[in-house]
Amino acid sequence: MSGHWGILVSDPSLQNQFTQVELRSLKSHFMSMRRESGKLVMADLASKMSRLKVVGENLSEEERASCVKDLYQNTEEDVDFELFLKVYLKLQTFASSRTGCSSKNSSAFLKAATTTLLHTISESEKASYVAHINHYLAKDEFLKKYLPIDPSTNELFEIVKDGVLLCKLINVAVPGTIDERAINTKRLLNPWERNENHTLCLNSAKAIGCTVVNIGTQDFIEGRRHLVLGVISQIIKIQLLADLDLKKTPQLLELLDDSKDMEELMNLPPEKILLRWMNFHLKKAGYKKIVTNFSSDVKDAEAYAHLLNLLAPEYTNPSTLAVKNPFERAKLILEHADKMGCKRYLTARDIVEGSPNLNLAFVAHIFQQRNGLSAQTKQQMSLLETFPDDTQDSREERAFRLWINSLGNSTYINNVFEDLRNGWVLLETLDKVSPGIVNWKIANKPPIKMPFRKVENCNQVVKIGKQLKFSLVNVAGNDIVQGNKKLILAYLWQLMRYNILQLLKNLRFHSRGKEITDADILEWANGKVSSSGSQSRMDSFKDKSLSDGIFFLDLLSSVQPRAVNWGLVTKGVTDQEKKMNATYIISIARKLGCSIFLLPEDITEVNQKMILTLTASIMSWYLKYPHEERTVGTSDNESGSQLETTSNSTLDDSASDSSVDENGSV
């Protein structure tokens, strides 16, 4: 333990129990708990520690309360950070003894911030992810000398240390996310180049929907196995669930009983659609139960037997349903899947033990290989055509969703129009953007059954927005509860813009408290480009000449001279050349440490609000680090903390075009 994190914990025995990343995460939770009620006493811990992954998932509130009471008799004792850590360790030990440190409790497919301190990993999951990597990256020119990876060793954690494999895996999951021209792929990378790859990887992972709060480059460099697997599992999950979308697989309309259910289906997270698809076929197969999860409900393998018999009857084995032993049935299931050409992702043991991550991966791959849905009908096509195609809203929704999820709130959201309606995540986001601004005493925590409680939360959201000088004329909390898309997008844009300007104000120490404006950002960018000797210029954030990307490449080169390989830059004349420059810009910005969610189209189409946030993000990075660090490079430790800071910052770039004007008015 070193630096200011050591000061947080003076007790050496506690210092040895936690890494810096874990301390930072727990400190954040501790401060949030204390802010909610003004102070924290021992009696509060049983309920408030429910949000900590290991303790919250494996112990009931009654068990936590009983354990705390046995350890500490004075329930009104004030809790400081060190006492909080001691209680957490005691509860964690109790939880671990209850679960036996079972591999099925290992972290993977993370949906919340990476706060688990139970550092066991599932060897079965590791083997499954290694097999996935070996299959999908086998033909990669750079990686083929390292593949196949041996799943029985820790070779995976060595190979990820240069950052290339994870960048390539992201591009398999969501093609085109990273411009591979920006990846450092020399045979031997120096520490600076290696850190750049990890920074690019983590910022790109956030940009496709992974939760990487409190994970830094140093975690990959040190090969922290539970964190590496946590990121890999999320990337693979995104890849496997990519087709569970009405736009990509219109045949999913067959799952609907009524056309009115279409919007509901479109708003469901992919896992829920996968369950709905599975139950749709199980009902046709005569299976009487409803599968509600990928764990306990599939342990006996009977649901799998019915599903595969329906989807691939030519490979049916009469013994599958006849055998009494679930393990033997599971082995027959996997034989059936092999004949269908499905990758396994799991063993018979994983099925009977109910590994949720591996079972989900298995079912998702079955869907990819043979979804059993009928070909598109004219009726389905006409139904899709009648549904409004709000391309702009969809792009904005995506950007805001990814930004909010990157902040590490308690709830992972799948759709901002649906998942923000109770106001809770918006309050958490406001608290991240402006700590202490939320009055938690009058906030209502989910699950919220009474509608007026949701309105109360959203009324506070609107009240705080007005306090922050947002333009919210004739906006009420009920507008958010009702899911008014325009107003929600307008609010989120203003919240993000406020956050960006505050960060810049805090970084620009010589501003002496003066508010940073859009004009200041524009002036700074033009000044940097001009000082580097370039003639390119930006007249405004909607300047159409920006579509070729040359100005931003000049800007990136001016803040970090070694960032741009000009031999890879196109002239930006044709649409294809413009897009190539745009993808390169985004990857270079992420490689430096900018956490941004815009798409290449936002540059080529000159989306003024996205352009503003891209420029502001580059400005923020420039102001954050001294000139000599940017020119010479940083040490491993400095680079690691840099990315961890960036990962936790709220300078993630996305914006709303259609909802608000340049000043954020509705």
Side-chain angles (χ1 to χ4, degrees):
M1 190 69 62
S2 61
H4 68 281
W5 288 108
I7 298 171
L8 288 176
V9 182
S10 58
D11 186 339
S13 64
L14 281 175
Q15 288 185 20
N16 294 331
Q17 295 287 337
F18 301 100
T19 67
Q20 289 188 17
V21 170
E22 292 161 353
L23 271 181
R24 186 177 296 111
S25 172
L26 287 167
K27 181 70 173 180
S28 174
H29 279 290
F30 171 75
M31 296 302 291
S32 177
M33 292 174 188
R34 200 163 65 175
R35 278 198 303 269
E36 288 173 12
S37 51
K39 66 175 183 175
L40 193 64
V41 298
M42 196 63 68
D44 298 330
L45 291 183
S47 62
K48 291 188 181 295
M49 279 191 167
S50 63
R51 67 190 69 174
L52 296 177
K53 199 172 181 69
V54 176
V55 169
E57 288 181 356
N58 296 309
L59 297 175
S60 68
E61 185 169 335
E62 291 74 19
E63 289 169 328
R64 291 192 298 272
S66 176
C67 185
V68 170
K69 191 172 181 180
D70 289 343
L71 293 167
Y72 303 94
Q73 299 302 314
N74 183 6
T75 57
E76 294 306 310
E77 180 181 358
D78 282 342
V79 178
D80 62 14
F81 185 48
E82 291 198 7
L83 183 54
F84 170 81
L85 292 178
K86 289 175 183 176
V87 174
Y88 180 80
L89 283 172
K90 296 283 188 183
L91 289 174
Q92 185 196 26
T93 302
F94 180 44
S96 300
S97 68
R98 288 283 308 280
T99 61
C101 288
S102 169
S103 64
K104 66 186 177 184
N105 291 317
S106 302
S107 68
F109 288 177
L110 305 181
K111 285 202 168 186
T114 307
T115 58
T116 176
L117 304 185
L118 186 60
H119 291 168
T120 58
I121 65 167
S122 164
E123 288 298 323
S124 187
E125 288 189 9
K126 183 184 78 172
S128 178
Y129 305 150
V130 165
H132 182 98
I133 289 166
N134 286 339
H135 176 74
Y136 284 99
L137 291 172
K139 295 181 180 178
D140 185 272
E141 282 299 313
F142 179 81
L143 292 173
K144 64 184 181 183
K145 58 181 173 285
Y146 302 111
L147 302 180
I149 299 168
D150 183 351
S152 66
T153 68
N154 285 325
E155 193 179 355
L156 170 66
F157 306 111
E158 291 301 314
I159 293 174
V160 301
K161 287 183 177 181
D162 68 5
V164 177
L165 185 146
L166 292 178
C167 287
K168 300 273 190 176
L169 191 61
I170 286 171
N171 270 356
V172 169
V174 184
T177 299
I178 296 175
D179 189 323
E180 296 202 359
R181 295 174 295 175
I183 304 173
N184 299 317
T185 54
K186 291 192 312 188
R187 183 77 180 185
L188 290 173
L189 299 178
N190 62 42
W192 175 249
E193 291 166 329
R194 183 182 58 193
N195 273 291
E196 283 185 329
N197 281 348
H198 290 310
T199 305
L200 174 59
C201 163
L202 286 171
N203 281 317
S204 299
K206 282 199 288 186
I208 65 170
C210 297
T211 300
V212 295
V213 175
N214 296 324
I215 301 178
T217 60
Q218 195 67 19
D219 296 311
F220 289 142
I221 292 164
E222 294 175 3
R224 293 183 183 274
R225 299 185 304 163
H226 65 295
L227 296 178
V228 170
L229 282 188
V231 173
I232 289 175
S233 64
Q234 291 183 84
I235 296 169
I236 291 175
K237 177 187 176 185
I238 287 167
Q239 177 187 342
L240 292 175
L241 296 178
D243 290 339
L244 285 148
D245 179 280
L246 267 179
K247 292 177 181 175
K248 291 186 178 179
T249 312
Q251 296 93 326
L252 286 166
L253 285 172
E254 192 178 341
L255 306 183
L256 300 179
D257 296 323
D258 190 317
S259 61
K260 292 180 182 177
D261 296 334
M262 183 172 164
E263 185 167 8
E264 178 195 344
L265 185 65
M266 291 186 80
N267 290 330
L268 284 177
E271 300 97 310
K272 297 291 186 185
I273 297 177
L274 190 62
L275 281 171
R276 191 158 175 172
W277 167 81
M278 189 175 182
N279 284 309
F280 172 79
H281 284 309
L282 289 176
K283 184 178 179 181
K284 287 202 296 185
Y287 188 65
K288 303 299 182 187
K289 300 176 185 175
I290 301 293
V291 175
T292 62
N293 58 62
F294 295 106
S295 182
S296 58
D297 287 358
V298 295
K299 278 184 176 182
D300 60 10
E302 286 187 11
Y304 284 149
H306 284 87
L307 179 66
L308 297 187
N309 286 347
L310 181 80
L311 294 176
E314 66 272 28
Y315 302 123
T316 297
N317 184 337
S319 303
T320 305
L321 284 168
V323 297
K324 301 297 183 186
N325 187 316
F327 183 74
E328 293 302 318
R329 185 182 301 117
K331 289 199 291 187
L332 293 173
I333 290 299
L334 294 179
E335 289 176 13
H336 195 154
D338 280 346
K339 291 174 183 176
M340 292 170 60
C342 289
K343 283 173 62 64
R344 289 193 174 197
Y345 284 99
L346 77 181
T347 64
R349 179 64 58 196
D350 296 321
I351 292 177
V352 298
E353 288 185 352
S355 170
N357 303 319
L358 296 183
N359 275 292
L360 183 147
F362 179 55
V363 177
H365 195 70
I366 293 171
F367 176 87
Q368 283 187 341
Q369 291 295 106
R370 192 177 297 202
N371 62 39
L373 300 173
S374 59
Q376 263 180 275
T377 65
K378 289 183 179 179
Q379 182 181 3
Q380 289 174 351
M381 287 295 291
S382 62
L383 189 58
L384 274 174
E385 286 168 4
T386 60
F387 201 79
D389 181 22
D390 297 326
T391 304
Q392 188 61 47
D393 280 2
S394 297
R395 213 151 83 192
E396 292 171 9
E397 187 279 329
R398 169 194 175 276
F400 292 130
R401 168 168 39 90
L402 295 171
W403 171 60
I404 290 170
N405 284 333
S406 77
L407 303 181
N409 291 320
S410 64
T411 304
Y412 187 95
I413 64 170
N414 292 286
N415 183 296
V416 299
F417 303 129
E418 293 298 316
D419 299 344
L420 299 184
R421 288 167 61 174
N422 65 18
W424 182 260
V425 175
L426 278 172
L427 289 172
E428 288 187 313
T429 304
L430 283 161
D431 196 51
K432 292 271 174 44
V433 168
S434 184
I437 202 165
V438 176
N439 183 352
W440 291 109
K441 292 180 180 178
I442 61 171
N444 302 290
K445 186 176 181 179
I448 304 173
K449 295 181 180 178
M450 304 300 290
F452 74 91
R453 297 292 185 195
K454 299 178 183 179
V455 175
E456 286 177 349
N457 281 352
C458 292
N459 281 342
Q460 187 178 178
V461 167
V462 172
K463 180 181 177 183
I464 293 172
K466 291 177 179 176
Q467 185 180 331
L468 297 176
K469 305 290 195 298
F470 294 177
S471 177
L472 297 170
V473 180
N474 297 324
V475 177
N478 197 48
D479 293 314
I480 298 173
V481 176
Q482 295 298 319
N484 185 310
K485 292 184 178 182
K486 180 181 177 182
L487 294 179
I488 290 173
L489 291 176
Y491 190 98
L492 289 175
W493 158 242
Q494 293 181 88
L495 179 57
M496 182 180 291
R497 181 174 174 276
Y498 169 83
N499 181 215
I500 290 167
L501 297 179
Q502 285 299 111
L503 284 169
L504 289 173
K505 176 185 172 183
N506 293 338
L507 287 169
R508 204 171 185 181
F509 301 114
H510 60 272
S511 68
R512 296 178 183 176
K514 173 181 171 289
E515 296 296 328
I516 299 293
T517 65
D518 296 2
D520 293 325
I521 299 170
L522 183 70
E523 181 184 0
W524 172 84
N526 281 323
K528 289 304 299 177
V529 171
S530 176
S531 66
S532 70
S534 173
Q535 299 300 311
S536 58
R537 180 175 176 78
M538 172 168 57
D539 290 333
S540 71
F541 295 115
K542 54 185 177 182
D543 185 342
K544 292 301 180 185
S545 70
L546 298 173
S547 66
D548 63 11
I550 301 299
F551 177 84
F552 287 107
L553 290 165
D554 281 334
L555 179 59
L556 288 163
S557 184
S558 72
V559 299
Q560 173 53 277
R562 59 183 292 277
V564 179
N565 180 345
W566 286 98
L568 302 175
V569 175
T570 76
K571 292 181 179 179
V573 176
T574 67
D575 288 346
Q576 180 61 26
E577 287 179 344
K578 290 178 179 180
K579 186 168 183 180
M580 287 177 68
N581 283 351
T583 59
Y584 192 41
I585 289 164
I586 291 170
S587 290
I588 291 172
R590 287 177 181 151
K591 185 175 173 179
L592 289 182
C594 302
S595 186
I596 52 178
F597 298 116
L598 77 168
L599 296 170
E601 292 80 3
D602 293 312
I603 296 175
T604 59
E605 295 172 12
V606 194
N607 178 326
Q608 69 183 81
K609 294 184 176 66
M610 292 291 194
I611 294 291
L612 166 64
T613 51
L614 170 62
T615 312
S617 185
I618 297 169
M619 181 180 177
S620 175
W621 178 83
Y622 177 83
L623 294 174
K624 192 176 292 184
Y625 303 107
H627 175 70
E628 58 272 15
E629 276 190 24
R630 293 194 303 272
T631 305
V632 179
T634 59
S635 71
D636 285 358
N637 289 335
E638 289 168 336
S639 297
S641 63
Q642 166 184 333
L643 196 278
E644 286 161 8
T645 302
T646 305
S647 294
N648 286 311
S649 87
T650 45
L651 189 59
D652 296 333
D653 303 271
S654 50
S656 167
D657 272 331
S658 59
S659 304
V660 292
D661 65 22
E662 225 172 285
N663 295 314
S665 301
V666 176

